[in-house]
Amino acid sequence: MTATRRTALASLAALGTSVLAAPAIASGRIEWKMVTSWPKNLPGPGISAERLAQAIGRLSDGRLTVRVFAAGELVPPLECFDAVGGGSAEMAHTASLYWAGKMAAAPLYTSAPFGLTPLEHLSWVDHGGGQALWDELYAAHGVKPFMAGNTGISMAGWFRRPVERLDDVKGLKIRIVGLGGEVWRRMGATPVALPPGEVFPAFQSGVVDAAELLAPHSDLAVGLHRVTRLYYGPGFDKPNGTGEALVSLKAWDALPDDLKAIVAAACRDEHATALGQAEWMNALALETLVATHGVELKQMPGDVLARARTVAEDLYGEIAAKDALSGRIVASYRQARTRAGTWSAANLAHFLPARIG
């Protein structure tokens, strides 16, 4: 057994998985296909997909290998969920915000307007009952979800024209996906859902007037600063960026326990690695955008944020009313946000201004 394998299996014990009880290692090797919603090696989620696949192969000593297919190579970028649930791929790397049409509460597992931050979201999923509800939500479709990457809090986006008041939002065509898009729609804008690989050409050609993709690292790589210099925060519409690894329940159930543990551990490690990398690379990219490319950092006007906050709370209520499971997920999410908010208001909200001075 290699040193990396020993280290991996030791860490799995901390996740509550009993590797010692696993069946004997089979002589055969397993190969999975992973489809993704990302262009190949897209900074942030595209890199996460590749790194996750490599980790599974390495930690399993090659017993389980994962071949990655970028968006469009095997299935369209927004059909990953169906590919896994239907059995044409054993695994996917994507984001839950794309599945609102199937499950109203699904986007909460990536991000929700005025919702949980990355650390708060991790705490909810791991310690506040979020994972059990997530498993229940996806099980009906033959899919098991894992957190497996995070791009951090997003920016509000890039805008061709200044946004100085709520009236400036009306009629605005903005590329955005997830629940944030519905918030913009209810404020008078026209959200346009495009996969990441189509964002730059649509923005450059004028199909959209504004574009929210992710955060500085990915935005710089895609080149959105080449269209406009107006870059707005805060990321009220997507304050978290959890990526998900989807695994076919049929393929999952066929794995021996030690390989299940390795997949789970690799997803967990990728989530931590990606979030740390996102914080660092977003900071570096922001410096480059401002110092090298002359990007102007702007803040959304107070009346836009106030209206968006009201609309978002209405949206939570509508999702909760869809069905019993959605209601339980929204209730759990709101409870986590309240608890985290109390702690943040008592400490972090005062610390950051004090540090800035």
Side-chain angles (χ1 to χ4, degrees):
M1 184 180 294
T2 66
T4 55
R5 178 84 184 281
R6 286 196 299 271
T7 301
L9 295 182
S11 69
L12 300 177
L15 297 176
T17 305
S18 177
V19 177
L20 294 178
I25 296 175
S27 59
R29 295 179 181 271
I30 302 168
E31 180 176 311
W32 281 1
K33 295 184 293 291
M34 177 198 286
V35 294
T36 81
S37 296
W38 326 118
K40 189 173 181 61
N41 290 323
L42 174 70
I47 296 296
S48 276
E50 296 284 353
R51 196 161 48 205
L52 174 60
Q54 292 166 9
I56 291 171
R58 183 178 65 253
L59 296 176
S60 68
D61 285 340
R63 290 173 55 219
L64 174 58
T65 59
V66 180
R67 183 180 178 190
V68 179
F69 294 86
E73 288 184 344
L74 194 61
V75 300
L78 304 187
E79 294 183 14
C80 292
F81 192 94
D82 289 340
V84 173
S88 57
E90 292 81 11
M91 196 169 186
H93 194 276
T94 181
S96 70
L97 52 78
Y98 295 128
W99 323 132
K102 298 179 182 297
M103 303 161 284
L108 271 67
Y109 283 95
T110 290
S111 192
F114 297 96
L116 299 172
T117 64
L119 183 56
E120 291 168 348
H121 184 91
L122 174 64
S123 297
W124 171 57
V125 171
D126 274 0
H127 305 288
Q131 183 68 55
L133 290 167
W134 198 11
D135 286 340
E136 184 178 351
L137 183 66
Y138 281 19
H141 301 271
V143 175
K144 179 170 179 57
F146 295 91
M147 293 183 294
N150 198 310
T151 52
I153 186 170
S154 291
M155 289 287 281
W158 300 82
F159 294 76
R160 289 181 179 271
R161 300 185 302 274
V163 179
E164 297 175 345
R165 59 187 65 84
L166 184 58
D167 285 345
D168 293 333
V169 171
K170 295 177 180 177
L172 185 78
K173 292 179 295 183
I174 178 171
R175 183 278 171 183
I176 188 169
V177 294
L179 299 179
E182 181 61 17
V183 169
W184 280 100
R185 188 186 69 79
R186 296 185 186 195
M187 291 195 296
T190 301
V192 180
L194 296 169
E198 298 178 22
V199 176
F200 177 77
F203 197 20
Q204 186 182 45
S205 64
V207 171
V208 293
D209 307 309
E212 185 277 326
L213 178 60
L214 289 168
H217 186 210
S218 297
D219 292 0
L220 174 63
V222 170
L224 298 180
H225 61 283
R226 292 160 52 192
V227 179
T228 179
R229 294 182 179 180
L230 301 179
Y231 198 22
Y232 277 79
F236 68 92
D237 43 13
K238 199 161 71 181
N240 181 44
T242 293
E244 61 180 10
L246 306 179
V247 178
S248 158
L249 272 175
K250 182 178 180 180
W252 176 256
D253 290 341
L255 288 181
D257 287 348
D258 67 325
L259 288 185
K260 287 180 180 178
I262 283 171
V263 171
C267 288
R268 166 56 61 85
D269 184 68
E270 179 52 37
H271 196 75
T273 298
L275 182 56
Q277 184 179 51
E279 287 294 298
W280 188 255
M281 297 306 294
N282 282 333
L284 294 178
L286 186 62
E287 290 178 8
T288 299
L289 287 168
V290 173
T292 303
H293 300 291
V295 167
E296 299 177 43
L297 296 179
K298 302 283 190 178
Q299 293 295 311
M300 279 292 161
D303 61 342
V304 172
L305 295 175
R307 177 60 181 157
R309 189 181 304 110
T310 298
V311 167
E313 290 308 310
D314 291 342
L315 187 56
Y316 282 120
E318 292 172 19
I319 293 170
K322 291 287 186 181
D323 54 75
L325 180 54
S326 294
R328 288 160 51 210
I329 291 171
V330 171
S332 179
Y333 190 90
R334 278 176 154 165
Q335 183 182 52
R337 187 179 60 169
T338 297
R339 285 177 171 163
T342 300
W343 169 229
S344 293
N347 196 348
L348 189 61
H350 300 287
F351 169 72
L352 290 178
R355 186 174 71 179
I356 294 170

